[in-house]
Amino acid sequence: MRYKDCFDKERRDFLNVIKRSGIALGAIQASSMLAGVMMARVAEAQTGPGKSVAVFMPGGCTPAKFFPTGGTLPIQTAPLQSHYAAGRVALLKNATMMNGGHGVMFNRFNDPNPWGKQSFDVNLGKTLSANSNAPVKWLNLGTTPVSELSRDSAGIPTITSPQAALDVLFAGGNSGGGGGAVAPRKSLVDVHYKAVNELKTKLGQHEKEKLDSHFNSIRELESTITSTNPGGSCPAITNTSAVGFDATSKLMTDIAVLALSCNLSYSVSLAFGTDEHLHVLDGAMIKDTTGAYRPRPSHDSHHNQGNPSYAGYYDQDVTYYMSLTTQLLDKLQAKGLMDSTVVTQVSDMGNVDAHSGQNCPMLVAGGGVRGGVIDVGGSSQVNLFQAVGLRLKANQGTNGSLFRNWGTPISGLF
């Protein structure tokens, strides 16, 4: 049989798997969890990566403290050491953030003039979901409410409520948008378990074990959300919430990995903070002119690196952001997802004091990346995301035209 492209074959394979299983298509459409399990039968037979996580780290870096001169990472990237040493991470040197500065992420992922156009995570999500039948086209998660990081034709609110994120995933929604409160409701496990459990006789032992693992992960997340948000509902989390920045970051990372491992979405974005840098990291304080201590927004440390009162704070902030990225890589590695997932991290500028787009910290991990330091010679995020899109075969399939007409991709990453 002739196929138009690799995704045409995968779609037909998926339909054939459903036909042979004896499971009604309507049942699969009714349960995003069941759809993910069935897609796994096809996905596990494929070669090469097919999933994406786009990570936003605000505030640039100090190149001498970000890029190593040997095999040991300096202070700002030190948390990545184990993954870097294992060859799972490429640090992109001399990268340029096109029009770097506050207010440009994620909306400059795929065009120098992006207003009214799709951001990279949405663009890629639509392409991969059309090719994979994933129930959620994209999932845009973050720690702090903001509506400009992801865009379709307009800004899409970042999901900062863990419960809202789970609702999007397991209600089988068509997009990753949404923020606000979620009413008290039945456990997602209870909603899906009855439908899926009745069909367990049609699943293989490996699939049954994986399904039970997914349900256990959901239970653990729901338990965490309930214990940190008493009352049964989960309002949008702010950086002054009792949950805190660190706990929110970890929960959102867990949900991102769950979405990928369950095949519920193939394109996830994680924003650790906002492009305005006004979020406050846990315990970040500064003494004001009266001698009293107050919460210190990241913006303060980013723009006061030469101020003795802020000595060391910028290094602390960048190192902390990189620890969050390390946590994501740890969880992907533990779930066996590193080979099938490309993680792409960018920032909004290089020298944050100058709002410069030069020497912007970017990295790529997983998906068969060639590790180490790669000098990209001034290439921008547009060139980077073109390379990632091609690695994920996003230039094929029904929406492939979105990835066929970009500029020159960065070479040598994979």
PDB file of all heavy atoms in Angstrom, residues 165-182:
ATOM      1  N   ALA A 165      -5.810  21.867  34.587  1.00  0.00           N
ATOM      2  CA  ALA A 165      -4.982  21.158  33.611  1.00  0.00           C
ATOM      3  C   ALA A 165      -5.427  19.708  33.470  1.00  0.00           C
ATOM      4  O   ALA A 165      -5.528  19.174  32.357  1.00  0.00           O
ATOM      5  CB  ALA A 165      -3.510  21.223  34.026  1.00  0.00           C
ATOM      6  N   LEU A 166      -5.721  19.060  34.585  1.00  0.00           N
ATOM      7  CA  LEU A 166      -6.201  17.681  34.530  1.00  0.00           C
ATOM      8  C   LEU A 166      -7.560  17.609  33.840  1.00  0.00           C
ATOM      9  O   LEU A 166      -7.841  16.671  33.089  1.00  0.00           O
ATOM     10  CB  LEU A 166      -6.291  17.090  35.936  1.00  0.00           C
ATOM     11  CG  LEU A 166      -4.964  16.788  36.641  1.00  0.00           C
ATOM     12  CD1 LEU A 166      -5.238  16.229  38.041  1.00  0.00           C
ATOM     13  CD2 LEU A 166      -4.123  15.806  35.852  1.00  0.00           C
ATOM     14  N   ASP A 167      -8.402  18.593  34.087  1.00  0.00           N
ATOM     15  CA  ASP A 167      -9.714  18.612  33.436  1.00  0.00           C
ATOM     16  C   ASP A 167      -9.577  18.706  31.922  1.00  0.00           C
ATOM     17  O   ASP A 167     -10.300  18.038  31.179  1.00  0.00           O
ATOM     18  CB  ASP A 167     -10.550  19.782  33.957  1.00  0.00           C
ATOM     19  CG  ASP A 167     -11.095  19.545  35.355  1.00  0.00           C
ATOM     20  OD1 ASP A 167     -11.155  18.376  35.766  1.00  0.00           O
ATOM     21  OD2 ASP A 167     -11.447  20.524  36.028  1.00  0.00           O
ATOM     22  N   VAL A 168      -8.670  19.553  31.460  1.00  0.00           N
ATOM     23  CA  VAL A 168      -8.448  19.683  30.021  1.00  0.00           C
ATOM     24  C   VAL A 168      -7.997  18.349  29.438  1.00  0.00           C
ATOM     25  O   VAL A 168      -8.476  17.900  28.396  1.00  0.00           O
ATOM     26  CB  VAL A 168      -7.411  20.784  29.725  1.00  0.00           C
ATOM     27  CG1 VAL A 168      -6.939  20.705  28.276  1.00  0.00           C
ATOM     28  CG2 VAL A 168      -7.998  22.161  30.002  1.00  0.00           C
ATOM     29  N   LEU A 169      -7.081  17.686  30.118  1.00  0.00           N
ATOM     30  CA  LEU A 169      -6.535  16.429  29.605  1.00  0.00           C
ATOM     31  C   LEU A 169      -7.574  15.324  29.569  1.00  0.00           C
ATOM     32  O   LEU A 169      -7.722  14.624  28.564  1.00  0.00           O
ATOM     33  CB  LEU A 169      -5.357  15.976  30.467  1.00  0.00           C
ATOM     34  CG  LEU A 169      -4.034  16.712  30.273  1.00  0.00           C
ATOM     35  CD1 LEU A 169      -3.017  16.218  31.286  1.00  0.00           C
ATOM     36  CD2 LEU A 169      -3.512  16.513  28.858  1.00  0.00           C
ATOM     37  N   PHE A 170      -8.300  15.154  30.647  1.00  0.00           N
ATOM     38  CA  PHE A 170      -9.137  13.968  30.758  1.00  0.00           C
ATOM     39  C   PHE A 170     -10.586  14.203  30.361  1.00  0.00           C
ATOM     40  O   PHE A 170     -11.372  13.272  30.322  1.00  0.00           O
ATOM     41  CB  PHE A 170      -9.019  13.382  32.159  1.00  0.00           C
ATOM     42  CG  PHE A 170      -7.634  12.871  32.410  1.00  0.00           C
ATOM     43  CD1 PHE A 170      -6.729  13.608  33.141  1.00  0.00           C
ATOM     44  CD2 PHE A 170      -7.204  11.683  31.847  1.00  0.00           C
ATOM     45  CE1 PHE A 170      -5.446  13.160  33.350  1.00  0.00           C
ATOM     46  CE2 PHE A 170      -5.915  11.227  32.044  1.00  0.00           C
ATOM     47  CZ  PHE A 170      -5.038  11.963  32.801  1.00  0.00           C
ATOM     48  N   ALA A 171     -10.898  15.466  30.019  1.00  0.00           N
ATOM     49  CA  ALA A 171     -12.179  15.718  29.378  1.00  0.00           C
ATOM     50  C   ALA A 171     -12.039  15.574  27.871  1.00  0.00           C
ATOM     51  O   ALA A 171     -13.017  15.634  27.145  1.00  0.00           O
ATOM     52  CB  ALA A 171     -12.687  17.113  29.718  1.00  0.00           C
ATOM     53  N   GLY A 172     -10.767  15.404  27.406  1.00  0.00           N
ATOM     54  CA  GLY A 172     -10.526  15.215  25.985  1.00  0.00           C
ATOM     55  C   GLY A 172     -10.767  16.476  25.190  1.00  0.00           C
ATOM     56  O   GLY A 172     -11.208  16.431  24.055  1.00  0.00           O
ATOM     57  N   GLY A 173     -10.462  17.650  25.794  1.00  0.00           N
ATOM     58  CA  GLY A 173     -10.672  18.919  25.110  1.00  0.00           C
ATOM     59  C   GLY A 173      -9.834  19.058  23.863  1.00  0.00           C
ATOM     60  O   GLY A 173      -8.856  18.348  23.671  1.00  0.00           O
ATOM     61  N   ASN A 174     -10.196  20.009  23.009  1.00  0.00           N
ATOM     62  CA  ASN A 174      -9.512  20.194  21.737  1.00  0.00           C
ATOM     63  C   ASN A 174      -8.370  21.177  21.820  1.00  0.00           C
ATOM     64  O   ASN A 174      -7.631  21.354  20.865  1.00  0.00           O
ATOM     65  CB  ASN A 174     -10.496  20.671  20.664  1.00  0.00           C
ATOM     66  CG  ASN A 174     -11.433  19.560  20.245  1.00  0.00           C
ATOM     67  OD1 ASN A 174     -11.039  18.405  20.190  1.00  0.00           O
ATOM     68  ND2 ASN A 174     -12.681  19.906  19.967  1.00  0.00           N
ATOM     69  N   SER A 175      -8.224  21.885  22.923  1.00  0.00           N
ATOM     70  CA  SER A 175      -7.119  22.820  23.031  1.00  0.00           C
ATOM     71  C   SER A 175      -6.613  22.815  24.453  1.00  0.00           C
ATOM     72  O   SER A 175      -7.183  22.225  25.342  1.00  0.00           O
ATOM     73  CB  SER A 175      -7.560  24.235  22.648  1.00  0.00           C
ATOM     74  OG  SER A 175      -8.364  24.790  23.668  1.00  0.00           O
ATOM     75  N   GLY A 176      -5.523  23.481  24.671  1.00  0.00           N
ATOM     76  CA  GLY A 176      -4.949  23.544  26.003  1.00  0.00           C
ATOM     77  C   GLY A 176      -5.258  24.831  26.718  1.00  0.00           C
ATOM     78  O   GLY A 176      -4.610  25.150  27.698  1.00  0.00           O
ATOM     79  N   GLY A 177      -6.182  25.630  26.217  1.00  0.00           N
ATOM     80  CA  GLY A 177      -6.450  26.916  26.829  1.00  0.00           C
ATOM     81  C   GLY A 177      -7.242  26.799  28.116  1.00  0.00           C
ATOM     82  O   GLY A 177      -7.815  25.773  28.426  1.00  0.00           O
ATOM     83  N   GLY A 178      -7.281  27.851  28.880  1.00  0.00           N
ATOM     84  CA  GLY A 178      -8.128  27.885  30.068  1.00  0.00           C
ATOM     85  C   GLY A 178      -7.355  28.236  31.310  1.00  0.00           C
ATOM     86  O   GLY A 178      -6.179  27.973  31.422  1.00  0.00           O
ATOM     87  N   GLY A 179      -7.948  28.777  32.262  1.00  0.00           N
ATOM     88  CA  GLY A 179      -7.313  29.150  33.496  1.00  0.00           C
ATOM     89  C   GLY A 179      -8.275  29.109  34.628  1.00  0.00           C
ATOM     90  O   GLY A 179      -8.575  28.344  35.217  1.00  0.00           O
ATOM     91  N   GLY A 180      -8.961  29.770  35.198  1.00  0.00           N
ATOM     92  CA  GLY A 180     -10.006  29.917  36.125  1.00  0.00           C
ATOM     93  C   GLY A 180     -10.310  28.756  37.055  1.00  0.00           C
ATOM     94  O   GLY A 180      -9.628  27.777  37.108  1.00  0.00           O
ATOM     95  N   ALA A 181     -11.367  28.883  37.794  1.00  0.00           N
ATOM     96  CA  ALA A 181     -11.723  27.914  38.815  1.00  0.00           C
ATOM     97  C   ALA A 181     -12.426  26.709  38.216  1.00  0.00           C
ATOM     98  O   ALA A 181     -13.034  26.776  37.166  1.00  0.00           O
ATOM     99  CB  ALA A 181     -12.631  28.574  39.860  1.00  0.00           C
ATOM    100  N   VAL A 182     -12.313  25.602  38.921  1.00  0.00           N
ATOM    101  CA  VAL A 182     -12.962  24.363  38.507  1.00  0.00           C
ATOM    102  C   VAL A 182     -13.865  23.922  39.652  1.00  0.00           C
ATOM    103  O   VAL A 182     -13.438  23.868  40.804  1.00  0.00           O
ATOM    104  CB  VAL A 182     -11.922  23.261  38.214  1.00  0.00           C
ATOM    105  CG1 VAL A 182     -12.617  21.968  37.870  1.00  0.00           C
ATOM    106  CG2 VAL A 182     -11.002  23.701  37.093  1.00  0.00           C
TER     107      VAL A 182
END
